C-alpha cells in the first residue's frame, strides 16, 4: 500500500505552521490549481483535490491534532474526556481480555477484524458478517453567490446498489450453500499484506459458496443511477465538506450502505474575495471624493450599500460594513464586508484644471516625503 502524501507537504507549510499560515498557503495553492483556472488540466484537478483534502484536516484544530498524533485522520478516532484520542473505534462492546476463551472475541481478534482482516490469535478467523458499504466522494462546483445564499443541488449519482434478486448475498435464493473450500469458512485470503488480510476471492469474503446469482454475477451489487437533491446551506466556503448519509455504495451481507461526501468547490468571483466569513472588495474613488469626503454606493452581496468616505481618505484605506459578509453555515453571526478604496488620480489635459491643481499645491505646501532619508543618512 503506497504511503499517502504528507498534508503539510501538500500545502507547502512547516509542521509548526500556525492557523493563519495554513489558511494563506491553502488559498494561494487552491487559487493556482482551481479547475476553472486550469480547464482540462487533469493534473491540476488532482492537485486541487489533494489541497482540499489536506486543508480539510489541517484547517480544523481537532482533526489536525489527530493527524499530528497518528499521521493520518479518520472520523472513527474519538476524542476522550481527558483530552487525548481513542484510536480507531468504539471498543465499549468488545471483550478486553487479550487471552479470551475459545469461541469468544478477544480485543486483539476484534481489532484486527475491524482493521481489515487477520486470522486473529492462533490462526482463527470467522466468516465476514454484515459490513457497511463504501463511501463515495463527489465534487460539487458552485458559484460564489450560490455559496453565499445556499441552494438545492441536483446530483446524478452512479453507485453500487444491493441486488434485489439475491438480497445482496451474491447467491441464488434457495441454492444450497457450503463452506468455502479455499478459506475454510474464514472469508479471508491466506495471502497477507503486513498485518492486513484481504477477502477470499473464491467466496468474496462470505465464507460460503453456492450457485452465483444470475442477476449480479455473484457480486451482490448492481449498478444504480440515482438523481438526488441535496440542500447546500448558505455560507459554505470553498473546501466545505458535507455528508449525505446512506447515499454511498450498498453494504455487504446485509450491512448498511456507505455515505456520500460532497466536497464543495466555489468558483472565484470577479469582484468579491472571501476571507473566512468576511468578504473583501476594492472600490475606486475620485481624487475629490477622497479629499473632500463623500457618501458612495458600493456593491454588496445584498445589493447596494452606502459607505461614508471621510475627508482626507488615503488610497488603500479600508472600511468595514458590519454584518455584510457571508453567513455562518453552522449558525452564528455573519461576517463583515471590508471595502478597500483606491484613489484614482485624474488625467488632466485642459489648462483650467491644471491651474486649479497648481493653486491647490500652493495652498497646501506640505511635503509628503518629508522625513524620508536615502542612503546618505548620517554621512
Amino acid at each position: 500500500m503506497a504511503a499517502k502524501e504528507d498534508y503539510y507537504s501538500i500545502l507547502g507549510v512547516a509542521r509548526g505552521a500556525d492557523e493563519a499560515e495554513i489558511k494563506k498557503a491553502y488559498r494561494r495553492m487552491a487559487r493556482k490549481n482551481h479547475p476553472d483556472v486550469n480547464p482540462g488540466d487533469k493534473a491540476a484537478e488532482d492537485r486541487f483535490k489533494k489541497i482540499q483534502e489536506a486543508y480539510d484536516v489541517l484547517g480544523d484544530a481537532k482533526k489536525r491534532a489527530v493527524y499530528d498524533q497518528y499521521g493520518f485522520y479518520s472520523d472513527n478516532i474519538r476524542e476522550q474526556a481527558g483530552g487525548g484520542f481513542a484510536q480507531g473505534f468504539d471498543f465499549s462492546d468488545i471483550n478486553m481480555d487479550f487471552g479470551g476463551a475459545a469461541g469468544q472475541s478477544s480485543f486483539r481478534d476484534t481489532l484486527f477484524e475491524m482493521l481489515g482482516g487477520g486470522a486473529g490469535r492462533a490462526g482463527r478467523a470467522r466468516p465476514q458478517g454484515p459490513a457497511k458499504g463504501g463511501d463515495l466522494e463527489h465534487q460539487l462546483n458552485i458559484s460564489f453567490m450560490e455559496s453565499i445564499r445556499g441552494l438545492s443541488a441536483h446530483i446524478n449519482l452512479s453507485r453500487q446498489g444491493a441486488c434485489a434478486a439475491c438480497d445482496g448475498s451474491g447467491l441464488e435464493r434457495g441454492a444450497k450453500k457450503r463452506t468455502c473450500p479455499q478459506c475454510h469458512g474464514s472469508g479471508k485470503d491466506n495471502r497477507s499484506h503486513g498485518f492486513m488480510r484481504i477477502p477470499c476471492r473464491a467466496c468474496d469474503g462470505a465464507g460460503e459458496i453456492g450457485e452465483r446469482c444470475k442477476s449480479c454475477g455473484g457480486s451482490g451489487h448492481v449498478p444504480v443511477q440515482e438523481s438526488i437533491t441535496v440542500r447546500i446551506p448558505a455560507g459554505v466556503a470553498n473546501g466545505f465538506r458535507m455528508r449525505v448519509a446512506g447515499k454511498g455504495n450498498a453494504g455487504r451481507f446485509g450491512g448498511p450502505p456507505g455515505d456520500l461526501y460532497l466536497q464543495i468547490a466555489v468558483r472565484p468571483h470577479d469582484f468579491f474575495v472571501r476571507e473566512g466569513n468576511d468578504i473583501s472588495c476594492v472600490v475606486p474613488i475620485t481624487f475629490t471624493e477622497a479629499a473632500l469626503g463623500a457618501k458612495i454606493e458600493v456593491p454588496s452581496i445584498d445589493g447596494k450599500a452606502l459607505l461614508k468616505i471621510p475627508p482626507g481618505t488615503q488610497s488603500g484605506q479600508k472600511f468595514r460594513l458590519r454584518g455584510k459578509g457571508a453567513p455562518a453555515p453552522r449558525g452564528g453571526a455573519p461576517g463583515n464586508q471590508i471595502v478597500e478604496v483606491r484613489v484614482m488620480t485624474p488625467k488632466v489635459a485642459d489648462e483650467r484644471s491644471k491651474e486649479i491643481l497648481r493653486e491647490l499645491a500652493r495652498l497646501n505646501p506640505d511635503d509628503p516625503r518629508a522625513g524620508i532619508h536615502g542612503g546618505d543618512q548620517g554621512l
Side-chain angles (χ1 to χ4, degrees):
M1 186 178 295
K4 203 163 189 178
E5 193 173 349
D6 180 67
Y7 285 159
Y8 289 99
S9 298
I10 291 174
L11 295 182
V13 296
R15 285 191 166 269
D18 59 25
E19 182 181 350
E21 290 174 306
I22 290 174
K23 184 180 292 186
K24 183 178 180 181
Y26 161 70
R27 287 176 181 158
R28 182 183 68 253
M29 298 190 70
R31 190 178 298 115
K32 179 180 177 181
N33 294 280
H34 197 283
D36 288 346
V37 180
N38 304 275
D41 189 339
K42 186 65 169 62
E45 182 181 345
D46 291 341
R47 288 194 299 271
F48 182 75
K49 290 179 180 178
K50 287 183 179 181
I51 292 165
Q52 297 278 27
E53 179 183 341
Y55 184 69
D56 181 57
V57 173
L58 299 186
D60 184 292
K62 289 186 178 180
K63 290 182 181 181
R64 182 183 180 185
V66 174
Y67 182 79
D68 287 345
Q69 184 170 346
Y70 296 112
F72 69 95
Y73 175 77
S74 169
D75 290 334
N76 291 320
I77 297 180
R78 301 175 294 108
E79 187 173 9
Q80 300 183 117
F85 297 91
Q87 183 175 1
F89 308 85
D90 184 358
F91 301 132
S92 60
D93 58 349
I94 298 175
N95 176 10
M96 298 297 286
D97 182 7
F98 278 75
Q104 291 183 341
S105 172
S106 73
F107 172 75
R108 182 172 61 182
D109 290 346
T110 308
L111 176 60
F112 270 61
E113 290 286 333
M114 295 167 81
L115 288 175
R121 182 171 49 86
R124 291 197 318 275
R126 287 162 276 106
Q128 187 164 318
K132 183 181 178 181
D135 295 334
L136 296 177
E137 295 272 352
H138 181 84
Q139 180 170 303
L140 181 64
N141 296 304
I142 62 176
S143 71
F144 181 89
M145 293 309 300
E146 285 174 332
S147 76
I148 296 297
R149 295 169 180 161
L151 74 153
S152 292
H154 302 286
I155 301 171
N156 294 318
L157 286 181
S158 297
R159 63 189 186 94
Q160 295 295 317
C163 176
C166 64
D167 295 325
S169 69
L171 302 176
E172 283 288 329
R173 286 184 180 176
K176 186 177 180 180
K177 301 175 184 178
R178 66 183 188 276
T179 301
C180 175
Q182 185 164 322
C183 68
H184 306 291
S186 71
K188 302 293 186 294
D189 195 296
N190 292 325
R191 296 167 301 169
S192 62
H193 292 259
F195 68 86
M196 306 290 283
R197 292 185 183 271
I198 59 177
C200 173
R201 292 186 179 183
C203 63
D204 292 328
E208 297 176 321
I209 60 174
E211 185 181 354
R212 291 181 179 271
C213 173
K214 295 180 178 62
S215 297
C216 65
S219 69
H221 293 156
V222 291
V224 174
Q225 301 291 328
E226 184 179 1
S227 180
I228 64 173
T229 300
V230 179
R231 181 62 194 172
I232 308 300
V236 296
N238 192 46
F240 187 87
R241 193 167 185 257
M242 62 180 292
R243 181 173 69 99
V244 184
K247 290 302 179 181
N249 288 328
R252 295 296 310 275
F253 316 116
D259 301 322
L260 170 66
Y261 286 89
L262 292 180
Q263 192 82 19
I264 307 298
V266 181
R267 294 190 292 272
H269 195 272
D270 293 335
F271 182 70
F272 297 116
V273 176
R274 181 165 177 169
E275 298 178 358
N277 284 341
D278 289 341
I279 294 176
S280 61
C281 62
V282 177
V283 175
I285 61 174
T286 66
F287 176 79
T288 52
E289 286 173 335
L292 302 176
K295 289 183 179 180
I296 65 172
E297 284 188 340
V298 297
S300 77
I301 59 173
D302 299 318
K304 296 292 185 179
L306 195 63
L307 177 66
K308 183 178 180 180
I309 305 296
T313 292
Q314 302 299 308
S315 189
Q317 195 166 336
K318 296 180 179 181
F319 300 91
R320 179 176 62 183
L321 295 173
R322 191 180 298 276
K324 292 291 186 180
R330 294 189 174 93
N336 303 311
Q337 181 173 345
I338 309 300
V339 180
E340 179 182 342
V341 297
R342 296 279 175 85
V343 179
M344 307 303 292
T345 304
K347 294 181 179 180
V348 179
D350 62 286
E351 287 301 320
R352 174 60 179 157
S353 296
K354 291 179 181 179
E355 183 58 34
I356 291 174
L357 289 176
R358 292 188 189 103
E359 180 65 17
L360 178 64
R362 286 192 292 270
L363 295 174
N364 297 270
D366 296 338
D367 183 1
R369 295 174 295 281
I372 298 177
H373 302 281
D376 60 347
Q377 182 179 8
L379 294 181

